[in-house]
């Protein structure tokens, strides 16, 4: 059975196209149901994220599942025209489809190479297909192999350990240089936009449990704070919050610094000499760079952090060949395993049939010779029969293995079964 895949991603389809081809939870359930009705015994896993929509399918009873069948399925389930789906979804089969899945799971095909979220999304898609009873031998094997491949890339390369966004660098690399841990530290975050939300996510993952969001619009601050279990204050309380803060972060869109250097100096004097880390992630900057000269204050600005992002990106790029080598090894291993499972029983039965015929003929020959040959001569005759059998079997066995590696495109497996009457249970 050959794995088939149709899909599109941020590489080849704009967001307005991906939006029309994405699946809701209800649509995924409906797709599984319709797929089961149309293709008895076939397997399907559906991966739908903000950056990609991909279907992986295999098997099925006669007639064999075709890529056009999947295109029609997507069109019917999403109420899109067949031409629209066909024009925007790429078809991959066999080795190409397997390699693509491994690249996706290992986050080598992601918008941000090395981001960790995609592997969990691949696992969730596989689990959802399992729950819907839409998986089988091929999808079990290929998705388990994809998971193993992704873990190898994570452990054998540093491609996942290089942070690429400004907030991830700030919280993941700069904060540990100043504080052993975030737990118990008062974190004051200025702003309530996208940068603030991403920063809060890294703060929570890093163990921060004493957070305060300060914003000009208190309603926006409260809404964001609620999602992360943080306090919310208006900008009027910023001075009080600075006195309490261990970590001060700026992410606002203000055109001028939200606190000037002289005011900050007065506030810092009230802090009793406690260390403060200031992360200025805003453009224009939220804090006057002069505050970095204050006693006990460590200031990192956007340019410092962006430079770290660029260095990390270059380091990730260096790891790409090593990661790609792992992908290639795992794809080869998967197909070798698949080939062995597919051809092993037939080769074993073919060998057993040949050995049976060989033994019968040897027994008949030795019976006719009626003991006229000594033991040494009998062994030479047996060796000759063995060599003859092996030479006769080698071409069909080699061709069968090659055909299996190509996805049984030439149908030799079935041909050998019928030619040598090996049976369907092989």
């Amino acid at each position: 059975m050959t794995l088939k895949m149709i899909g599109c991603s941020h590489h080849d389809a704009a967001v307005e196209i991906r939006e029309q081809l994405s699946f809701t939870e209800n649509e995924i359930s409906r797709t599984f149901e319709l797929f089961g009705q149309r293709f008895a015994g076939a397997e399907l896993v559906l991966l739908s994220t903000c950056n990609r929509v991909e279907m992986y399918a295999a098997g099925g009873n006669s007639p064999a599942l075709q890529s056009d069948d999947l295109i029609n399925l997507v069109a019917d389930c999403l109420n899109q025209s067949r031409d629209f789906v066909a024009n925007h979804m790429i078809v991959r089969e066999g080795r190409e489809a397997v390699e693509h899945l491994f690249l996706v799971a290992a986050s080598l095909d992601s918008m941000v190479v090395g981001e960790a979220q995609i592997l969990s999304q691949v696992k969730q898609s596989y689990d959802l297909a399992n729950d819907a009873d839409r998986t089988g031998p091929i999808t079990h094997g290929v998705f388990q192999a994809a998971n193993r491949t992704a873990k190898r890339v994570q452990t054998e390369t540093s491609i996942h350990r290089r942070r690429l966004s400004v907030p991830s660098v700030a919280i993941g690399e700069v904060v540990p240089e100043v504080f052993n841990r975030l737990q118990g530290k008062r974190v004051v975050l200025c702003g309530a936009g996208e940068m603030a939300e991403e920063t809060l996510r890294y703060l929570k993952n890093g163990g921060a449990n004493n957070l305060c969001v300060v914003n000009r619009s208190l309603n926006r601050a409260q809404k964001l704070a609620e999602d992360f279990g943080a306090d919310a204050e208006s900008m009027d309380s910023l001075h009080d919050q600075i006195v309490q803060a261990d970590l001060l972060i700026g992410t606002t869109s203000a055109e001028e610094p939200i606190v000037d250097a002289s005011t900050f100096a007065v506030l810092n004097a009230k802090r009793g000499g406690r260390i403060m880390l200031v992360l200025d992630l805003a453009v224009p900057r939220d804090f006057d760079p002069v505050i970095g000269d204050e006693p006990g204050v460590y200031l990192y600005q956007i340019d410092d952090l962006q430079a770290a992002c660029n260095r990390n990106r270059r380091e990730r790029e260096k790891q790409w060949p090593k990661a790609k080598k792992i992908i290639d090894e795992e794809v080869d291993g998967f197909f070798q395993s698949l080939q062995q499972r597919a051809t092993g029983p037939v080769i074993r039965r073919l060998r057993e049939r040949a050995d049976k015929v060989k033994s019968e003929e040897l027994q008949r020959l030795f019976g006719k010779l009626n003991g006229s040959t000594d033991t040494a001569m009998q062994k030479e005759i047996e060796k000759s029969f063995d060599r003859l059998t092996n030479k006769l079997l080698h071409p069909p066995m080699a061709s069968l293995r090659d055909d299996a590696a190509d996805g049984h495109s030439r149908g030799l497996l079935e041909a050998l079964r019928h030619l040598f009457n090996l049976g369907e249970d092989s």
Side-chain angles (χ1 to χ4, degrees):
M1 292 184 288
T2 300
L3 185 73
K4 291 180 171 60
M5 172 264 176
I6 65 165
C8 65
S9 73
H10 58 93
H11 292 298
D12 42 65
V15 63
E16 55 267 23
I17 300 299
R18 302 200 304 274
E19 287 173 345
Q20 297 178 68
L21 293 172
S22 64
F23 286 76
T24 65
E25 289 186 13
N26 289 337
E27 287 168 340
I28 291 175
S29 298
R30 171 60 181 153
T31 300
F32 283 144
E33 180 182 350
L34 191 58
F35 182 82
Q37 294 170 1
R38 292 184 180 182
F39 314 111
E43 310 169 32
L44 177 70
V45 177
L46 200 165
L47 174 64
S48 183
T49 73
C50 59
N51 285 329
R52 69 180 66 249
V53 178
E54 295 175 352
M55 274 187 174
Y56 295 87
N61 301 330
S62 183
L65 180 67
Q66 301 297 321
S67 300
D68 282 348
D69 296 326
L70 297 178
I71 292 173
N72 292 333
L73 180 70
V74 173
D76 293 342
C77 291
L78 296 180
N79 293 319
Q80 298 286 353
S81 73
R82 188 195 179 284
D83 288 344
F84 177 81
V85 176
N87 288 338
H88 293 291
M89 298 194 91
I90 293 173
V91 176
R92 295 180 174 91
E93 295 190 18
R95 185 183 181 92
E96 186 184 7
V98 172
E99 181 178 16
H100 178 75
L101 175 60
F102 288 10
L103 287 167
V104 169
S107 188
L108 300 185
D109 193 64
S110 297
M111 184 175 291
V112 178
V113 172
E115 57 93 5
Q117 188 179 14
I118 185 62
L119 179 57
S120 64
Q121 292 170 332
V122 170
K123 288 180 179 178
Q124 289 168 8
S125 298
Y126 171 62
D127 290 341
L128 199 60
N130 262 332
D131 294 341
D133 197 27
R134 291 274 65 90
T135 53
I138 296 296
T139 46
H140 282 319
V142 74
F143 275 83
Q144 288 166 6
N147 183 57
R148 181 178 62 250
T149 301
K151 289 182 177 178
R152 278 194 64 192
V153 171
Q154 288 177 353
T155 57
E156 296 177 29
T157 75
S158 61
I159 206 163
H160 289 76
R161 296 191 286 275
R162 302 286 180 176
R163 298 173 176 86
L164 293 185
S165 72
V166 167
S168 68
V169 169
I171 307 307
E173 297 184 19
V174 175
V175 169
E177 293 179 4
V178 179
F179 301 120
N180 290 329
R181 60 179 185 171
L182 278 172
Q183 187 175 5
K185 301 296 182 183
R186 180 63 169 177
V187 181
V188 177
L189 177 69
C190 304
E194 292 182 4
M195 179 75 81
E197 182 176 357
E198 183 181 359
T199 304
L200 278 170
R201 189 173 297 109
Y202 285 112
L203 286 166
K204 290 295 288 187
N205 290 340
N209 60 352
N210 187 4
L211 293 158
C212 179
V213 178
V214 179
N215 193 55
R216 294 191 186 282
S217 168
L218 181 58
N219 287 338
R220 289 191 64 181
Q222 290 172 334
K223 183 177 180 181
L224 182 60
E226 184 179 354
D227 293 337
F228 293 91
D231 301 329
E233 298 286 347
S234 69
M235 197 62 75
D236 293 339
S237 68
L238 177 60
H239 293 179
D240 292 336
Q241 295 301 325
I242 288 176
V243 173
Q244 300 175 41
D246 297 297
L247 172 57
L248 177 64
I249 305 173
T251 69
T252 78
S253 57
E255 296 181 3
E256 300 289 338
I258 57 178
V259 56
D260 58 49
S262 59
T263 302
F264 186 90
V266 173
L267 298 173
N268 191 44
K270 297 179 181 180
R271 300 183 64 258
R274 291 178 8 252
I275 289 176
M276 174 186 273
L277 173 60
V278 181
L279 301 174
D280 195 343
L281 313 185
V283 179
R285 292 174 292 186
D286 276 341
F287 307 111
D288 191 317
V290 174
I291 72 173
D293 298 331
E294 284 290 316
V297 176
Y298 296 88
L299 172 66
Y300 287 81
Q301 301 178 85
I302 187 73
D303 286 350
D304 303 321
L305 301 168
Q306 189 61 58
C309 291
N310 293 337
R311 287 196 301 271
N312 287 355
R313 184 172 286 105
R314 288 193 294 270
E315 289 300 317
R316 280 196 179 188
E317 290 170 355
K318 291 179 183 177
Q319 291 291 307
W320 174 271
K322 186 175 182 181
K324 185 58 170 62
K325 183 180 179 183
I326 292 172
I327 299 290
D328 293 341
E329 291 173 357
E330 289 292 338
V331 171
D332 288 341
F334 173 78
F335 276 98
Q336 288 171 5
S337 174
L338 197 64
Q339 168 189 323
Q340 186 175 11
R341 291 199 302 270
T343 63
V346 172
I347 288 176
R348 185 181 65 253
R349 290 287 296 274
L350 186 58
R351 170 65 69 179
E352 289 172 352
R353 179 66 56 83
D355 286 343
K356 183 174 183 294
V357 172
K358 178 191 70 176
S359 297
E360 291 172 350
E361 288 302 310
L362 279 172
Q363 186 176 7
R364 185 183 66 81
L365 176 61
F366 290 145
K368 283 193 173 186
L369 293 175
N370 197 23
S372 61
T373 56
D374 57 21
T375 302
M377 181 60 70
Q378 287 187 7
K379 287 184 177 180
E380 282 300 318
I381 294 173
E382 289 175 357
K383 287 180 182 179
S384 294
F385 270 65
D386 285 338
R387 285 194 295 269
L388 178 62
T389 302
N390 289 336
K391 288 180 179 179
L392 288 172
L393 289 179
H394 178 73
M397 286 182 174
S399 296
L400 183 59
R401 292 190 182 99
D402 291 342
D403 189 40
D406 293 334
H408 301 292
S409 58
R410 290 175 291 168
L412 292 186
L413 188 66
E414 291 303 313
L416 281 174
R417 279 177 172 154
H418 290 296
L419 284 171
F420 291 92
N421 193 25
L422 299 178
E424 292 296 327
D425 60 339
S426 313

